[in-house]
């Protein structure tokens, strides 16, 4: 009998179901695989409560984006929604991130003009020099001064030049200037516009039909992601002073559509969809980093459906982003993360569910923000995709997490294709507390027990014993011997705050074939 013991979890997700690395998973879901490399734990729930909207629901205000002003005497969370019954933008505030303090309409936070109804809650939204700036169909507006909300007012319009885009703007720390992408028309966003303390101008113009989906600060440069008319994409490094003809660096990012660029631990990374939906049966989502010479791929996922949103947020060595990818028949819709590991490499994982165990309807993710350990996520209610909700991290643990292994994880090469008898499975934990548990499943030759390649897993244990530290399984839930096969996969689903520290299985090779 040959035992395989595995106790590292920080390698992220892999596209190859037979990847020989023992730190990677085929799927991760709603679990922390970063804080402790030798353990994984289910995150607390993200959930929506009516209390956060007073006596009503979120559907009337449709909050989609968030900002956090932590430099104020009393830090405030801002949300961008709409005036009830209209599509006019409106600003809301929340005074306490962690409790059920309701979202309230900001003083004079309603759209100043009554002549047009423009949906703007999914367009750029940023704090710059004590003002909140936003964008609607008629140009840029501002709200503030937010250091004194009792006198803050809404001003529309402060800039009416080239403005149509949903690329998130930034404020560069080197020069304290706000930069945004812009262009004329829904298919053209080929300009960089800057706001220097209220003075606006077009700073850089690319060729017609170049589309800029994302910009970020990268050292002293502004990094500009660009999708080109020929179907390729590039990243430009601009010193914020020169012209397009003397731009500092142009980096070939390969084919496809670049969705975002970000600077993680001083390294430029980017995410692209190489084969967008509608042009491919299986869209591919590709992640690359710039090594100073070229863009190097570090992760790729082949999906049956994929949408990647342009907003990102950095937190220490983690870049968070919103995406929807269906992998191995599981719809992973919510917050994803790119992690720069201590070893120097990058990994990608699906981080957390927007709400409990609900699977959000495709195309219904809107915005998110991490503040400390709390996430606020705006999305549609999974039970009614026409209803808006805002969820926040709580202190309950009802959401089920998932760690799905690769095929024959950790197995020596000479045994990988041999016929084998699975003899035992063992999972170790930190002592399970009340309401903590772990569902353990397996799949043999791509299918449930004795049904090869049907895609289903068989549940063999639902461990709910308080204070247990190790589960050992030698038979299935019906007391029968575990299955024979050539390829073994396991699904571990911790819940209630359970923390898994080790996974182990044992098998015997059945002599047959060569």
């Amino acid at each position: 009998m040959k035992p395989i013991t595995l106790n590292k979890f920080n390698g992220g997700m892999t596209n190859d179901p037979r990847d020989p690395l023992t730190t990677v998973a085929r799927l991760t879901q709603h679990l922390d695989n970063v804080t402790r490399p030798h353990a994984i734990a289910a995150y607390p729930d993200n959930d929506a409560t009516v209390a956060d909207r007073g006596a009503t629901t979120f559907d009337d205000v449709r909050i989609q984006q968030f900002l956090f002003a932590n430099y104020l005497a009393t830090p405030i969370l801002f949300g961008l929604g709409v005036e009830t019954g209209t599509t006019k933008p409106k600003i809301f505030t929340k005074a306490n991130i962690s409790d059920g303090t309701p979202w309230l309409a900001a003083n004079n936070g309603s759209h100043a003009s009554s002549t047009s109804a423009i949906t703007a809650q999914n367009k750029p939204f940023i704090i710059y020099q004590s003002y909140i700036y936003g964008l609607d169909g008629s140009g840029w507006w501002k709200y503030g001064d937010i250091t004194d909300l009792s006198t803050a007012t809404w001003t529309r319009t402060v800039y009416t030049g080239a403005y149509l885009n949903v690329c998130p703007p930034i404020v560069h720390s080197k020069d304290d200037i706000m930069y945004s992408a812009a262009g004329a028309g829904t298919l053209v966003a080929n300009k960089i516009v800057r706001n220097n303390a209220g003075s606006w101008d077009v700073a850089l113009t690319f060729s017609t039909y170049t589309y800029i989906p994302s910009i970020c600060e990268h050292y002293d440069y502004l990094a500009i992601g660009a999708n080109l008319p020929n179907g390729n994409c590039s990243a430009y490094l601009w010193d914020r002073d020169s012209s397009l003809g003397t731009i500092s660096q142009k980096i070939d990012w390969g084919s496809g559509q670049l969705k975002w660029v970000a600077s993680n631990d001083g390294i430029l990374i980017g995410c692209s969809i190489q084969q967008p939906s509608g042009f491919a049966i299986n869209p591919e989502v590709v992640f690359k980093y710039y090594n100073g010479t070229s863009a190097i791929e570090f992760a790729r996922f082949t999906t049956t459906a994929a949408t990647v949103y342009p907003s990102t947020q950095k937190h220490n060595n983690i870049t968070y982003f919103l995406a929807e990818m269906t992998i191995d028949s599981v719809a992973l819709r919510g917050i994803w993360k790119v992690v720069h590991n201590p070893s120097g490499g990058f990994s990608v994982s699906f981080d957390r569910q927007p709400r409990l165990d609900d699977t959000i309807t495709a195309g219904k993710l809107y915005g998110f923000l991490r503040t400390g350990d709390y996430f606020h996520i705006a999305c549609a209610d999974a039970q009614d995709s026409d209803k808006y909700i805002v969820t926040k991290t709580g202190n309950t643990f009802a959401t089920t997490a998932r760690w799905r292994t690769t095929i024959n994880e950790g197995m020596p090469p000479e045994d990988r294709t041999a016929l084998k008898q699975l003899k035992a499975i063992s999972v170790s934990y930190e002592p399970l507390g009340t309401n903590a548990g772990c569902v353990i499943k397996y799949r043999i030759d791509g299918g449930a027990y004795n049904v090869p390649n049907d895609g289903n897993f068989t549940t063999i244990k639902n461990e709910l014993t308080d204070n247990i530290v190790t589960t050992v399984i030698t038979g299935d839930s019906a007391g029968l011997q575990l299955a024979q096969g050539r390829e073994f996969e396991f699904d571990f689903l911790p819940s209630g705050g359970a923390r898994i520290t080790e996974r182990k299985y044992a098998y015997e090779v059945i002599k047959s074939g060569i």
Side-chain angles (χ1 to χ4, degrees):
M1 189 163 65
K2 299 184 178 183
I4 304 293
T5 300
L6 304 146
N7 64 0
K8 288 196 72 175
F9 301 86
N10 64 339
M13 286 171 48
T14 178
N15 192 52
D16 182 0
R18 296 173 181 82
D19 196 317
L21 293 176
T22 58
T23 60
V24 299
R26 181 65 175 126
L27 298 179
T28 65
Q29 184 173 335
H30 205 77
L31 55 79
D32 181 356
N33 60 335
V34 174
T35 303
R36 301 187 191 178
H38 294 277
I40 52 174
Y43 285 128
D45 303 328
N46 256 66
D47 200 7
T49 62
V50 173
D52 285 351
R53 273 294 299 132
T56 60
T57 67
F58 285 100
D59 198 48
D60 58 338
V61 298
R62 303 185 180 187
I63 293 173
Q64 288 195 8
Q65 294 191 74
F66 310 98
L67 295 171
F68 182 53
N70 62 350
Y71 64 90
L72 301 179
T74 301
I76 294 178
L77 186 66
F78 291 91
L80 181 61
V82 298
E83 180 76 40
T84 301
T86 76
T87 55
K88 300 175 184 178
K90 186 171 183 176
I91 296 173
F92 297 84
T93 64
K94 194 174 192 297
N96 193 312
I97 291 171
S98 61
D99 67 11
T101 303
W103 286 88
L104 302 173
N107 181 56
N108 295 319
S110 297
H111 197 289
S113 171
S114 60
T115 60
S116 63
I118 305 295
T119 300
Q121 74 268 33
N122 64 347
K123 289 184 169 62
F125 187 48
I126 189 172
I127 294 175
Y128 175 49
Q129 294 187 340
S130 298
Y131 285 88
I132 292 176
Y133 285 86
L135 186 63
D136 64 20
S138 296
W140 285 90
W141 50 262
K142 73 175 182 178
Y143 171 78
D145 180 335
I146 62 173
T147 59
D148 186 357
L149 290 180
S150 66
T151 59
T153 58
W154 187 299
T155 304
R156 181 181 183 271
T157 305
V158 295
Y159 179 64
T160 58
Y163 54 81
L164 292 176
N165 197 12
V166 294
C167 170
I170 70 160
V171 177
H172 203 293
S173 62
K174 186 71 174 180
D175 55 16
D176 194 34
I177 294 175
M178 172 183 148
Y179 294 90
S180 63
T186 57
L187 298 178
V188 181
N190 64 337
K191 304 177 188 297
I192 297 296
V193 171
R194 61 188 166 197
N195 171 10
N196 187 358
S199 177
W200 296 75
D201 71 324
V202 175
L204 205 61
T205 301
F206 291 81
S207 61
T208 304
Y209 299 115
T210 295
Y211 190 89
I212 301 171
S214 178
I215 59 177
C216 73
E217 178 176 335
H218 184 60
Y219 295 104
D220 291 346
Y221 298 100
L222 184 72
I224 304 167
N227 294 321
L228 309 178
N230 63 1
N232 293 331
C233 49
S234 295
Y236 296 85
L237 298 181
W238 178 47
D239 62 9
R240 298 166 290 108
D241 291 319
S242 61
S243 67
L244 182 63
T246 56
I247 204 162
S248 303
Q249 186 90 32
K250 178 185 177 183
I251 306 163
D252 179 11
W253 216 265
S255 61
Q257 295 180 356
L258 195 58
K259 294 300 180 179
W260 55 257
V261 291
S263 188
N264 189 318
D265 275 1
I267 300 172
L268 187 66
I269 61 174
C271 174
S272 62
I273 295 185
Q274 198 162 75
Q275 297 171 315
S277 299
F279 294 89
I281 298 172
N282 296 308
E284 292 189 318
V285 182
V286 180
F287 298 84
K288 297 181 179 181
Y289 74 93
Y290 178 53
N291 68 354
T293 303
S294 58
I296 306 298
E297 181 179 317
F298 63 87
R300 173 188 297 260
F301 298 108
T302 302
T303 72
T304 52
T307 300
V308 178
Y309 297 84
S311 296
T312 65
Q313 183 184 353
K314 292 189 296 183
H315 182 85
N316 295 329
N317 65 336
I318 303 174
T319 298
Y320 293 101
F321 64 100
L322 281 179
E324 306 171 11
M325 301 186 215
T326 300
I327 300 172
D328 204 10
S329 301
V330 179
L332 303 174
R333 299 178 184 140
I335 296 177
W336 289 68
K337 64 191 174 195
V338 178
V339 180
H340 191 210
N341 297 310
S343 61
F346 287 97
S347 65
V348 183
S349 305
F350 179 61
D351 191 60
R352 68 189 66 214
Q353 300 277 111
R355 186 182 185 187
L356 302 177
D357 281 340
D358 299 338
T359 300
I360 301 300
T361 303
K364 297 295 183 177
L365 291 169
Y366 303 129
F368 77 98
L369 184 70
R370 175 171 181 169
T371 46
D373 289 336
Y374 290 91
F375 275 86
H376 283 77
I377 304 173
C379 58
D381 191 327
Q383 309 305 319
D384 186 344
S385 61
D386 291 330
K387 299 293 184 182
Y388 289 72
I389 59 172
V390 172
T391 70
K392 77 171 188 304
T393 306
N395 54 13
T396 58
F397 290 87
T399 306
T400 300
R402 181 193 308 271
W403 176 280
R404 177 169 295 178
T405 71
T406 53
I407 294 171
N408 292 341
E409 183 184 33
M411 190 177 292
E414 64 270 18
D415 292 347
R416 295 183 70 86
T417 60
L419 181 62
K420 298 170 286 289
Q421 171 66 55
L422 184 61
K423 302 296 289 186
I425 304 167
S426 173
V427 184
S428 296
Y429 324 89
E430 292 184 359
L432 293 182
T434 303
N435 299 321
C438 184
V439 176
I440 302 165
K441 302 181 179 183
Y442 77 152
R443 184 164 66 181
I444 306 293
D445 294 338
Y449 186 78
N450 287 336
V451 188
N453 205 37
D454 74 346
N456 295 317
F457 281 77
T458 299
T459 298
I460 52 176
K461 181 71 173 180
N462 184 6
E463 182 59 78
L464 295 171
T465 306
D466 289 353
N467 294 316
I468 197 167
V469 294
T470 301
T471 298
V472 179
I473 303 165
T474 57
D476 67 15
S477 57
L480 300 175
Q481 178 177 258
L482 298 172
Q484 292 183 3
R486 300 181 187 276
E487 297 192 324
F488 304 155
E489 299 166 84
F490 304 99
D491 237 4
F492 303 114
L493 294 88
S495 60
R499 188 181 294 274
I500 296 176
T501 59
E502 186 178 81
R503 57 208 190 274
K504 184 186 298 185
Y505 67 98
Y507 63 93
E508 287 182 350
V509 174
I510 299 172
K511 301 299 182 181
S512 64
I514 298 174

